[in-house]
Amino acid sequence: MTKIPVCLQMYTVRDDAQRDLAGTLATVARLGYAGVELAGYAGKTAAEVKALLDANGLQAIGAHVGVDTVIGSPAQAIADAKLFGYDYVIVPWIGKPYTESLDGYRKLGAELSAVAPQYADAGLTLCYHNHAFEFDLSEGDKTGLDVLFEAAPDVQAELDTFWVKKGGQDIPEYLKRLSGRVPLVHLKDMDSQGNFAPVGAGTVDYPALFAAAEAAGAKFYMVEQDSCQAPLTPLESIQISIENLRAWGKV
């Protein structure tokens, strides 16, 4: 089986990038990441970021784009995607009133569905990235995340595995539930205290995760760590993550 490319969500190294984007991207490339997922431009212009990615041989796979922009300014989101050449536009976060009720998730699904054809016509895939709060509400055996995806059949999933576990769900089961519509999988480990940890340094069952992700049709793995526990720095943490993935034959 062809290996699924392992990329880095740049939010992980946001502080390093703000200080020295060129040096940070050079480190990401040296460590062996196949590409990146953008989360802002670290104070640079989009054109400057693109030039630095090209200089380091890194491909932008997708970007986290605010829900207001995705829904309200699709032309801008599409133009940015075309500049970088990525295929995935991802909603990374939502707040009230969407999260207050299952009808809020249905409303969001309808709004995303209304603009999804514009992204599809541009050759792009619109995705939604979960946290744990989508699992706080349920209707029978359906969670808020299920309700959202049911209301937005043209929207794909970027499943954040840490938040699935934090939300009390089974990661392989959720990957199975989203089979065929989960092209992006965030790899993010959890220590015994429930904190973020480098991939392979926590409690996530990665053999089961990988088997389920591959069966579900995942196209990219995205290493992400929202925060790093001292004494490890973000750059040290992403090195541990990719070294573990390499040892498992995933890189």
Side-chain angles (χ1 to χ4, degrees), residues 195-228:
N195 300 313
F196 302 105
V199 174
T203 61
V204 170
D205 182 348
Y206 275 97
L209 184 158
F210 292 137
E214 289 161 22
K219 293 181 170 58
F220 292 96
Y221 288 134
M222 301 289 176
V223 169
E224 183 183 31
Q225 192 170 336
D226 298 38
S227 61
C228 300

Side-chain angles (χ1 to χ4, degrees), residues 40-115:
Y41 299 148
K44 306 291 186 182
T45 66
E48 288 171 331
V49 176
K50 178 64 164 64
L52 288 172
L53 290 173
D54 290 346
N56 286 284
L58 290 168
Q59 173 66 42
I61 304 304
H64 281 187
V65 181
V67 64
D68 290 344
T69 299
V70 167
I71 294 171
S73 302
Q76 181 60 57
I78 290 168
D80 289 345
K82 293 303 182 183
L83 172 65
F84 284 98
Y86 54 72
D87 296 327
Y88 298 96
V89 174
I90 305 119
V91 174
W93 174 264
I94 56 169
K96 296 178 180 180
Y98 294 125
T99 60
E100 293 180 308
S101 68
L102 292 176
D103 282 341
Y105 288 108
R106 292 188 182 95
K107 180 177 185 293
L108 175 62
E111 291 174 354
L112 292 176
S113 287
V115 297

Side-chain angles (χ1 to χ4, degrees), residues 27-52:
T27 299
V28 171
R30 176 180 57 78
L31 290 175
Y33 286 93
V36 299
E37 188 174 76
L38 299 173
Y41 299 148
K44 306 291 186 182
T45 66
E48 288 171 331
V49 176
K50 178 64 164 64
L52 288 172

Side-chain angles (χ1 to χ4, degrees), residues 115-233:
V115 297
Q118 295 183 56
Y119 291 95
D121 288 346
L124 303 172
T125 300
L126 184 58
C127 298
Y128 178 82
H129 168 281
N130 65 282
H131 288 79
F133 54 74
E134 293 91 347
F135 307 113
D136 290 343
L137 301 175
S138 61
E139 184 177 77
D141 63 350
K142 293 180 181 178
T143 68
L145 192 61
D146 294 324
V147 168
L148 168 60
F149 282 125
E150 190 174 74
D154 296 328
V155 175
Q156 302 288 293
E158 176 172 71
L159 198 70
D160 187 300
T161 54
F162 175 96
W163 291 117
V164 170
K165 185 176 176 71
K166 194 78 167 180
Q169 305 294 316
D170 181 77
I171 295 170
E173 175 58 32
Y174 232 94
L175 284 162
K176 182 179 180 181
R177 192 181 300 199
L178 291 170
S179 184
R181 63 184 301 188
V182 58
L184 309 175
V185 176
H186 269 203
L187 304 182
K188 185 187 300 185
D189 218 331
M190 181 188 294
D191 69 16
S192 59
Q193 304 302 309
N195 300 313
F196 302 105
V199 174
T203 61
V204 170
D205 182 348
Y206 275 97
L209 184 158
F210 292 137
E214 289 161 22
K219 293 181 170 58
F220 292 96
Y221 288 134
M222 301 289 176
V223 169
E224 183 183 31
Q225 192 170 336
D226 298 38
S227 61
C228 300
Q229 305 299 310
L232 287 179
T233 68

